[in-house]
Amino acid sequence: MTTSPHRVQGLNNDEVPADWPAISAGEITWLATRFPQLEATATLIWHSPRPMSAAAIAQGVNGRVFIKRHHHRVRTAATLAEEHRFIAHLARAGVPVVDVLADRSGATALAHEGWTYELHAVGKGDDLYRDAPSWTPLTDLAQAREAGRMLATLHHAAESYTAPQRDTHILVARDDLIRSPDPIALLARDASTRPALHDYLSRRPWLQELQQDVLPWHNGLAARLQAEPRLWTHNDWHVSNLLWRREGEATRIASVLDFGLASPTSALFDLATAIERNAIAWLELERGMAAVHVDTALALLDGYRQVRPLPAAQVHLLADLLPIVHLDFALSEVEYFHGITGSTANADIAYYDFLLGHARWFGSADGQALLSALHAAA
């Protein structure tokens, strides 16, 4: 998509050319005409290594501003505003989210020349995991418990938020297929509204592959999830999306970042996602149990239950949900890579490695050990 020299983190934890050009000084100049918090003379001091959008921090006389830019097919201004309204609700409830900045007209998302922009205040706290890839495990158990407690706090705050489902599937972690009694039928019904995904699937024996590797984990799950209320959740609870501060001998969460994957799912879905993101070294599975941080998973669960108790039945459901918690999002990534960036190689990684491979791994001895430990914690 670009010939920019800017490089980002690839799906295999390598360094690859960016799909999207880095934010430029010219864009700063234009954004400064709309946002009083940004100065036209601000200097770009950092570019994000994250691959699916462009983000940067600009330093001006009056302070720093975080800028994020999306391709219009990934986020429109209206779609981005869905995230911003959720963030604003959490802020009013006392969750330490980062302020979304409004322009002179009060808008928090702007469309311009095929791009969609959002500006945020720079979060308070230390970015201890700024350069950590999304699949880097969390090994500090005290921080894992703190992350679990804050996630539960966020869920309490979200209970009074009732916005409808997101208006996009692209790079959003929904649970529609997981909750459906017939995920295959639901996928088929979506064919007209998700043509890129269905074009990709039509080129491979996807029905047979899902039936072999994914759907056995789904058996009986949809009925059990009916008792789990819809809840707007973060859906990307990895330590790289948290900022930290010292409080005596403890490390506490100072800011919660990046609600790009947020949507109405459930509290258990969000907690399962947190375990998947933080407790498994997905890119190092050849190390066997050394790649599985059972203690991190249990610490996340323990911290969560300190704030938001979970009965045994819900802990068992959490463990049973874990092998396919990535289902909807993996297909969303396939749709993004195949339909927007045009990368068949990345779409194949999302499909074969993330979607099928992660579900298949939970049937291994190592995956079963993690699930058994979670069931035992009930």
Side-chain angles (χ1 to χ4, degrees), residues 21 61-62 69 82 94 99-100 110 115 127 195 203 224 242 267 278 293-294 297 299 321 342-343 373:
V61 174
N62 296 319
R69 185 194 65 214
E82 295 169 346
D99 291 338
V100 182
L110 296 184
W115 303 106
D127 197 351
R203 301 164 189 255
R224 295 166 66 194
L242 303 171
N278 293 282
H293 296 265
V294 173
L321 175 62
S343 173

Side-chain angles (χ1 to χ4, degrees), residues 41-210:
T41 57
T43 302
L44 290 161
I45 60 172
W46 174 78
H47 290 278
S48 171
R50 303 295 177 185
M52 295 177 180
S53 60
I57 292 176
Q59 175 73 59
V61 174
N62 296 319
R64 296 180 298 163
V65 174
F66 177 82
I67 304 162
K68 194 170 185 179
R69 185 194 65 214
H70 311 263
H71 190 272
H72 70 93
R73 292 179 63 194
V74 178
R75 291 289 183 270
T76 65
T79 304
L80 201 53
E82 295 169 346
E83 301 166 20
H84 296 170
R85 287 191 290 271
F86 181 44
I87 293 171
H89 173 86
L90 295 176
R92 290 191 294 270
V95 178
V97 294
V98 175
D99 291 338
V100 182
L101 304 181
D103 75 352
R104 289 182 170 85
S105 70
T108 60
L110 296 184
H112 181 65
E113 296 183 348
W115 303 106
T116 307
Y117 295 86
E118 58 180 319
L119 272 63
H120 299 247
V122 172
K124 299 176 182 178
D126 297 324
D127 197 351
L128 302 180
Y129 298 90
R130 169 179 283 185
D131 298 320
S134 293
W135 302 113
T136 301
L138 171 59
T139 57
D140 186 311
L141 299 187
Q143 290 181 14
R145 289 188 181 87
E146 171 68 3
R149 285 189 289 267
M150 182 58 74
L151 184 60
T153 299
L154 187 152
H155 289 169
H156 276 315
E159 286 179 333
S160 55
Y161 190 69
T162 57
Q165 180 58 275
R166 301 295 299 271
D167 74 349
T168 184
H169 287 273
I170 299 292
L171 300 184
V172 171
R174 294 164 60 152
D175 68 348
D176 303 355
L177 294 172
I178 298 172
R179 281 183 178 265
S180 172
D182 190 345
I184 300 302
L186 180 56
L187 265 178
R189 289 198 299 272
D190 282 347
S192 62
T193 57
R194 305 180 73 180
L197 174 60
H198 284 269
D199 180 66
Y200 179 90
L201 293 177
S202 70
R203 301 164 189 255
R204 49 201 36 82
W206 66 275
L207 180 56
Q208 176 185 342
E209 290 165 338
L210 290 184

Side-chain angles (χ1 to χ4, degrees), residues 11-26:
L11 297 184
N12 287 314
N13 198 18
D14 48 357
E15 189 177 89
V16 299
D19 286 324
W20 310 114
I23 291 171
S24 68

Side-chain angles (χ1 to χ4, degrees), residues 145-349:
R145 289 188 181 87
E146 171 68 3
R149 285 189 289 267
M150 182 58 74
L151 184 60
T153 299
L154 187 152
H155 289 169
H156 276 315
E159 286 179 333
S160 55
Y161 190 69
T162 57
Q165 180 58 275
R166 301 295 299 271
D167 74 349
T168 184
H169 287 273
I170 299 292
L171 300 184
V172 171
R174 294 164 60 152
D175 68 348
D176 303 355
L177 294 172
I178 298 172
R179 281 183 178 265
S180 172
D182 190 345
I184 300 302
L186 180 56
L187 265 178
R189 289 198 299 272
D190 282 347
S192 62
T193 57
R194 305 180 73 180
L197 174 60
H198 284 269
D199 180 66
Y200 179 90
L201 293 177
S202 70
R203 301 164 189 255
R204 49 201 36 82
W206 66 275
L207 180 56
Q208 176 185 342
E209 290 165 338
L210 290 184
Q211 288 175 333
Q212 176 178 313
D213 293 319
V214 177
L215 294 186
W217 296 111
H218 183 267
N219 186 33
L221 200 59
R224 295 166 66 194
L225 285 170
Q226 295 310 304
E228 295 301 311
R230 285 282 190 187
L231 184 74
W232 267 77
T233 49
H234 186 278
N235 295 336
D236 193 16
W237 199 257
H238 183 258
V239 284
S240 60
N241 287 327
L242 303 171
L243 302 183
W244 305 80
R245 71 174 190 274
R246 294 294 300 177
E247 190 175 285
E249 295 299 314
T251 305
R252 303 299 186 195
I253 292 172
S255 299
V256 177
L257 311 175
D258 197 352
F259 285 79
L261 274 59
S263 75
T265 55
S266 70
L268 289 186
F269 178 95
D270 211 14
L271 181 55
T273 298
I275 292 171
E276 185 205 33
R277 293 283 194 272
N278 293 282
I280 307 166
W282 288 108
L283 302 180
E284 299 177 347
L285 294 181
E286 70 280 357
R287 297 174 58 214
M289 277 303 293
V292 186
H293 296 265
V294 173
D295 51 355
T296 296
L298 296 178
L300 281 162
L301 176 59
D302 177 56
Y304 189 93
R305 295 172 93 177
Q306 290 174 19
V307 176
R308 192 177 170 95
L310 294 176
Q314 282 189 297
V315 177
H316 289 305
L317 179 54
L318 170 73
D320 291 338
L321 175 62
L322 187 56
I324 58 168
V325 72
H326 65 298
L327 172 58
D328 287 76
F329 185 66
L331 289 172
S332 171
E333 288 189 308
V334 169
E335 189 173 7
Y336 167 79
F337 289 123
H338 186 67
I340 295 178
T341 69
S343 173
T344 300
N346 282 343
D348 285 346
I349 291 173

